[in-house]
Amino acid sequence: MPATSPAHPRRRRRTNRLLATAAGVLTVGALAAAALPGSASAGEQHGKGKGHGHGPSRYQDVQLLSFNDLHGNLEPPTGSSGRVTELQPDGTTKTIDAGGAEYLATHLRQARKGNAYSITAAGGDMVGASPLLSGLFHDEPTIEALNKLELDVTSVGNHEFDEGAKELSRLQNGGCHPTDGCYTDKKFKGADFPYLTANVLNEKTKKPLLKPYWVWKKKDVKVGFIGVTLEGTPNIVSAEGVKGLVFKDEVETINKYAKELRRKGVKSIVALIHEGGFPASQNYNYDCDAPGAGDGISGPIADIAKNVSPDVDALVTGHTHNAYVCTIPDPAGKPRMVTSAASFGRLYTDTTLTYDRRTGDIARTAVKSANHVVSRDVPKASDITGLIGKWNTLAAPIGNRAIGYISGDVVKDGTESPLGDLIADAQLEYARTLDPETDLALMNPGGIRASLTYAASGAEGDGVVTFAEAFTVQPFANTVNLQTFTGEQLVQALKEQVSGSNEAAPKILQVSDGLTYTLDLTKSGADRVVTDSIRLNGEAIDPSASYRVAMNSFLAGGGDGFTTLGQGADALVGDDDLKALEQYLTANSSAGAPLAPPAADRITIVQ
């Protein structure tokens, strides 16, 4: 996982515990402005009613509204998670507060006005790694909100498997939680929309866990949707979450079902892919196509897009939490739209697919798309406000409890982050209550889901850290585990941050106080970790000595490509990692002496 990206998180979630045409437009991202086949362009003869009074016109615009990686953020996300950066005409940038399901609902509803043929789709990770308001209730609040948002269909993402296949099926089909029961006097009815799992197979039956595809129909217009998640999901989710499941190649799966849809007479096809890319700019309205078609984006989705069958007309993507609207040529050399709407409900994408009634296919030369900001300058959707209020009433006694105090923002951003250091220190302090000989702690960056902000999120006051805020930071219910490693293994684990499966997208571990080393980004592979620089309390690591290391259960299982961390000896399983953070904040801060953000100076970075 890139150190600057939050998109490669993992493990299971804690079990106790969606619109005026929006402000700001991303690149129009239009494909070639060529005239459509036939005697009239889409602009002359489509959309409403009949062409020349002789029946429906040949071309029908279909509006596709999409978003991805909501992660249960029903309330407006805070800090950098609740902002987008907009490039201005003069080359400067503007930061806009964005997100919140009450605003997303309004934006989507206003966007649909005047569009009789409108579909709303999502690219996965609707739930998982969620704030307390949703995560405490196994994400039932988010499913209820998505129903009210009139979501039509979504692919699964890796986080839909945080609690395993049975829990995903419950979110789809309804029913009270098997352990916690019903939270209200009404039985949870599940999702009104289908979750698509085309490349997620039951290990025994070899059949998709849920539906592989879904077809939207209105009168004579049909659009098929195929949903997949990244093939590497088992590497970023706890083993328990994917037990009994097989994850197949994204391209092969999409191509297989595209053929099946065409055999069934569905020729207009959209792929919902929970895998993404990295645009050359973090401005949401970056013109991805300005350098040339496809030049503005890199990463897994670029390769996937180049290989997915030409039968597929557009790709809605996600996972990397980035914003882009790009055209990437399909295997036949035809440009094809590839979109992503960042994360946390801060953006939505509005794509126009022009349906050709004569062929039953999308006229690709007329496809256009843009990302729009879910700004907070529109009225809140009252039904979503009511839903949030209902669940907040249930969550408040737990979430509003103060557990610590900070003197400023403790952010999760950066190769080494202040919050990463704080969490590692908290795990080290807790681990020493289990084993006083514990030497250090390591924390994976993908497990840190939000920053701790100084400004009050509610009525608690500035600088107060509530349980809800801490829950949002660490929502996975990992345990703090202890293992013993040789010095040689410890060095190898640090090198795995930048080598093997992590070479192209490094995952830099956050380290506890006392562990220092140099990360030389001018080098490549494992050489980026300067072996001779690694020190523990000022002393060089002895390859043959033993070191007691604390980490969360995800890392202790070899997650995120850290295979060596799954090979330790004398394992000891402790309590919940959130409890360790809570205890640390309570013990080391007070209203009169708040905790200062760590300096994040343990890793010396050369670049």
Side-chain angles (χ1 to χ4, degrees), residues 175-252:
C176 297
H177 190 270
T179 302
D180 294 347
C182 294
Y183 298 111
T184 70
D185 57 358
K186 293 182 180 180
K187 180 180 177 181
F188 174 61
K189 69 187 186 74
D192 292 342
F193 50 90
Y195 264 111
L196 303 182
T197 60
N199 71 328
V200 185
L201 311 183
N202 181 294
E203 191 173 37
K204 293 181 180 179
T205 68
K206 308 303 181 185
K207 294 180 179 180
L209 178 65
L210 298 172
K211 293 179 180 180
Y213 59 80
W214 174 79
V215 179
W216 179 90
K217 299 177 183 178
K218 185 165 184 176
K219 296 183 180 179
D220 57 347
V221 177
K222 296 185 292 185
V223 181
F225 291 82
I226 302 167
V228 300
T229 187
L230 69 154
E231 184 183 10
T233 291
N235 298 323
I236 54 176
V237 175
S238 69
E240 191 65 26
V242 295
K243 186 177 181 180
L245 302 176
V246 176
F247 292 76
K248 306 296 286 186
D249 181 82
E250 305 95 332
V251 172
E252 291 178 6

Side-chain angles (χ1 to χ4, degrees), residues 8 10 235-236 444 446 501-502 507 554-555 558-562:
H8 284 139
R10 47 346 143 230
N235 298 323
I236 54 176
N444 59 312
S501 61
N502 294 329
K507 296 182 178 69
F554 174 71
L555 281 177
D560 269 354
F562 291 96

